[in-house]
Amino acid sequence: MDIVLRAAVAYLFITFMLRIIGRRELSTLAPSDLVLLVVMGDLVQNGVTQSDQSVTGVFLAISTFAILTVAMSTLTFKSRRAQTIIQGEPLILIENGKPVTKNLRSERLNLDDVTEEARGQGIESVNEIKWCVLETSGSMSFIKQSN
């Protein structure tokens, strides 16, 4: 039971830390996906090298992470509030050609980051952007101004 509790606490802590790190750093992986992939590899490695002293312990820890990942996914699917807390909400970075400084600052982005992404999508100037939205996945969506 000790392994299950430690694994659960580690899972929640890592998910929380990844949420703090920010979307752009995580890019397209959901925090819970990243946690599962990274920690599973480490837990398996511990079991293989015998530093855990128990294959059963490794199975328990991996199972705990997998169950928590499915539980988080189900929770965010069924509850809008949980989805907002766990995954965040899309943020408007540019509105009608003007940067939304508060949102840029909260995500530790500068206008150069946004314009670089816009150029990659064929947008030459910030003035061409009606909306730039930082999605929960970390990608940016652009809607051009109407002419």
Side-chain angles (χ1 to χ4, degrees):
M1 191 60 163
D2 185 45
I3 291 173
V4 172
L5 291 175
R6 284 187 289 152
V9 169
Y11 179 88
L12 294 173
F13 178 73
I14 292 168
T15 301
F16 172 73
M17 292 307 295
L18 290 172
R19 184 78 172 87
I20 289 173
I21 289 170
R23 293 172 235 209
R24 288 299 290 171
E25 288 79 4
L26 296 174
S27 194
T28 60
L29 287 178
S32 57
D33 297 334
L34 185 62
V35 168
L36 181 63
L37 294 174
V38 171
V39 176
M40 262 190 180
D42 189 49
L43 293 172
V44 169
Q45 181 269 334
N46 285 339
V48 170
T49 62
Q50 298 297 317
S51 63
D52 184 12
Q53 303 293 331
S54 160
V55 174
T56 305
V58 172
F59 289 158
L60 283 172
I62 290 173
S63 297
T64 301
F65 272 82
I67 289 167
L68 287 171
T69 298
V70 171
M72 289 277 225
S73 176
T74 302
L75 183 63
T76 59
F77 176 73
K78 291 186 176 193
S79 168
R80 177 75 175 130
R81 183 168 184 209
Q83 181 181 17
T84 300
I85 291 168
I86 295 167
Q87 295 177 344
E89 290 185 312
L91 279 177
I92 297 172
L93 301 178
I94 295 179
E95 185 174 359
N96 296 318
K98 297 189 182 359
V100 181
T101 309
K102 178 182 102 178
N103 292 348
L104 287 166
R105 197 174 296 133
S106 75
E107 291 298 319
R108 295 176 305 280
L109 291 168
N110 59 46
L111 195 54
D112 292 338
D113 296 325
V114 178
T115 56
E116 178 182 342
E117 191 81 21
R119 285 191 302 273
Q121 295 189 27
I123 299 171
E124 296 177 16
S125 166
V126 174
N127 295 329
E128 295 178 42
I129 302 170
K130 180 176 184 174
W131 301 99
C132 170
V133 179
L134 180 62
E135 304 294 350
T136 58
S137 66
S139 64
M140 290 184 202
S141 299
F142 294 92
I143 299 172
K144 287 183 159 187
Q145 298 271 11
S146 302
N147 289 336

